[in-house]
Amino acid sequence: MPEITVVAGARPNFMKVAPLLRALKGTPFQVRLVHTGQHYDAAMSEVFFQQLEIPAPDVHLGVGSGRHGQQTARVLELFEEYLIGLQQPPAGVAVVGDVNSTMACTLAAVKLGIPVAHIEAGLRSFDRTMPEEINRVVTDSIASLLLVSEPAGEENLKKEGIAAEKIVYAGNTMIDTLVRQSASADNIDVKQRFGVDRESFALVTLHRPSNVDHEERLKELVEFLLFMAEHLKVIFPVHPRTRARLTATGLAERLRDRVILDEPIGYIENLALMRAAKVVITDSGGMQEETTFLNVPCLTLRAGTERPVTITHGTNTIVGSDLELAKRCFHAILDGVYRRSRPIPGWDGHAAERIAVSLCEAWL
Ligand code: UD1
């Protein structure tokens, strides 16, 4: 039976592989899931497997954290070893998103002559200081099937000279997961679990090195959160990287008692919170898309976005480092004069099924 290897490594990958694994069940492929172990804390990994009903990985590479070169190298070496050790190489490898594991597994497979399909291809922030941008550019330039989640993905790949026959507009697998998990999120009472009423709070997530690794920037962001806390409750589930920086700089103390600091939360809790929030403040990629789908205002604390459809069709505003702009948007949201989102092609809960069809056409 022909085999597909599906790769997942870090938190934002899990919601993308869950629907893919489900859709592949209906194909003649035998599917193996490889977890690289880039994220390993229970709150960053295990909880997503449970909530999203992802089967236990067939293989766990256990790479853990490290500098970029180090982490990428470990994945590359261990995934290559895994592929070489198989009696029969898989018909193809499917990778998702833009984390170090995505690029490293693509490199390993392509160098062994195994074709790679990249899900969420073509996104570009045009900012090569972002590690994810390098991962995207490298992955897309050597993968043989590019499954695109939004219109810009297709345009970017064509501009880069990638042959049209490699590109398929499949839609957004992250939205597949959101649609499927909506009923579970209905079961979460945000008042009971987080002590907040609907639309009475801001939800904050921050983890990008550009925001949290520089003390001055982090300090400004903390002041912005305190400004918001004068108007609304602020809930802030804190990524391990951010937690370490807030503690080291003493800024955690400043937030204490004024902002609700929480551990990283599960997918379903996060979905319940996003749906009920008055506004989401984030530097995540996926949450820009999820808030657009949910029609919840989103202010993105980054210089740009690789997901421009969230601006043209959605509720996202890129505020970058302009916290005065962020305050103006925040007031517009409180006053109820903020824009609403429009539907986006392929954000319909069925992207993974279309991807499964493309994989069958390519590799069977
Ligand atoms: C990675 C992705 C980023 C994604 C983010 C989501 C890359 C280049 N970056 O960034 O695109 O948005 O995941 O979370 O792949 N740590 C733990 N436990 C864990 C994982 C990490 O404590 O389970 C800590 C470690 O101190 C580690 C740090 O977080 O050094 C950063 O982890 P890493 O995987 O390097 O990058 P993220 O910032 O999580």
Side-chain angles (χ1 to χ4, degrees):
M1 197 188 275
E3 214 178 282
I4 288 194
T5 304
V6 175
V7 173
R11 183 170 63 177
N13 293 163
F14 304 135
M15 29 299 218
K16 296 167 196 165
V17 300
L20 179 64
L21 293 167
R22 199 167 288 116
L24 285 171
K25 274 191 189 157
T27 69
F29 288 114
Q30 188 184 337
V31 181
R32 273 190 219 244
L33 176 63
V34 174
H35 188 330
T36 65
Q38 176 172 344
H39 282 172
Y40 44 86
D41 284 358
M44 300 292 286
S45 176
E46 222 173 278
V47 65
F48 294 88
F49 277 71
Q50 285 161 10
Q51 292 190 340
L52 306 182
E53 302 153 276
I54 305 174
D58 297 280
V59 184
H60 201 293
L61 302 179
V63 297
S65 300
R67 296 185 309 273
H68 283 274
Q70 213 174 32
Q71 188 178 58
T72 306
R74 274 195 220 132
V75 179
L76 182 58
E77 185 175 357
L78 292 174
F79 190 59
E80 181 187 60
E81 238 164 62
Y82 161 73
L83 289 173
I84 289 174
L86 295 172
Q87 275 184 342
Q88 183 79 25
V93 172
V95 299
V96 299
D98 56 17
V99 301
N100 287 341
S101 302
T102 309
M103 176 184 70
C105 291
T106 301
L107 270 173
V110 170
K111 288 223 165 187
L112 290 171
I114 302 167
V116 171
H118 182 207
I119 289 141
E120 204 187 79
L123 299 183
R124 297 289 181 267
S125 65
F126 304 104
D127 172 4
R128 293 207 175 175
T129 65
M130 282 180 75
E132 294 80 4
E133 183 75 352
I134 306 298
N135 294 339
R136 293 181 201 116
V137 169
V138 172
T139 302
D140 286 342
S141 66
I142 56 176
S144 48
L145 184 56
L146 299 162
L147 297 141
V148 167
S149 57
E150 69 152 276
E154 206 166 347
E155 287 159 30
N156 292 333
L157 292 172
K158 286 186 176 156
K159 275 188 205 144
E160 287 173 17
I162 294 189
E165 58 268 23
K166 287 188 180 176
I167 307 169
V168 177
Y169 190 103
N172 195 330
T173 54
M174 191 125 192
I175 302 301
D176 292 3
T177 291
L178 191 159
V179 169
R180 185 177 170 92
Q181 297 300 335
S182 284
S184 306
D186 290 343
N187 296 329
I188 293 190
D189 180 342
V190 291
K191 176 82 177 168
Q192 198 182 25
R193 168 76 172 77
F194 298 97
V196 287
D197 289 310
R198 216 186 141 67
E199 296 197 23
S200 73
F201 67 97
L203 173 65
V204 177
T205 79
L206 292 171
H207 71 280
R208 297 278 160 195
S210 57
N211 280 329
V212 306
D213 286 1
H214 309 286
E215 188 170 346
E216 272 313 299
R217 172 71 176 157
L218 189 58
K219 213 167 167 177
E220 278 173 20
L221 293 175
V222 163
E223 292 308 316
F224 178 62
L225 301 193
L226 293 173
F227 153 79
M228 285 198 302
E230 289 168 18
H231 301 269
L232 287 178
K233 286 196 176 174
V234 177
I235 303 188
F236 185 8
V238 189
H239 183 286
R241 171 197 285 277
T242 312
R243 164 98 38 200
R245 301 293 169 174
L246 285 172
T247 307
T249 53
L251 288 164
E253 259 322 286
R254 215 163 140 56
L255 290 173
R256 211 156 61 99
D257 302 330
R258 294 203 264 174
V259 163
I260 306 168
L261 295 176
D262 208 332
E263 294 303 310
I265 50 177
Y267 179 85
I268 293 167
E269 290 79 5
N270 196 51
L271 175 55
L273 278 178
M274 273 192 296
R275 289 197 320 196
K278 185 80 180 166
V279 56
V280 170
I281 313 288
T282 192
D283 59 7
S284 146
M287 283 172 73
Q288 297 172 48
E289 297 182 338
E290 290 163 337
T291 48
T292 276
F293 186 79
L294 295 168
N295 195 24
V296 170
C298 176
L299 305 181
T300 298
L301 297 168
R302 279 172 43 186
T305 182
E306 61 287 340
R307 296 166 159 87
V309 78
T310 60
I311 302 173
T312 56
H313 287 56
T315 51
N316 188 19
T317 301
I318 299 297
V319 297
S321 54
D322 187 350
L323 294 178
E324 288 308 311
L325 170 62
K327 286 182 185 175
R328 285 200 300 279
C329 292
F330 180 71
H331 281 301
I333 292 162
L334 290 189
D335 295 343
V337 289
Y338 192 79
R339 68 183 190 284
R340 300 177 62 77
S341 45
R342 292 186 280 140
I344 298 166
W347 292 29
D348 57 359
H350 299 288
E353 293 155 33
R354 291 186 286 271
I355 291 170
V357 170
S358 292
L359 295 178
C360 289
E361 282 170 8
W363 294 341
L364 277 183

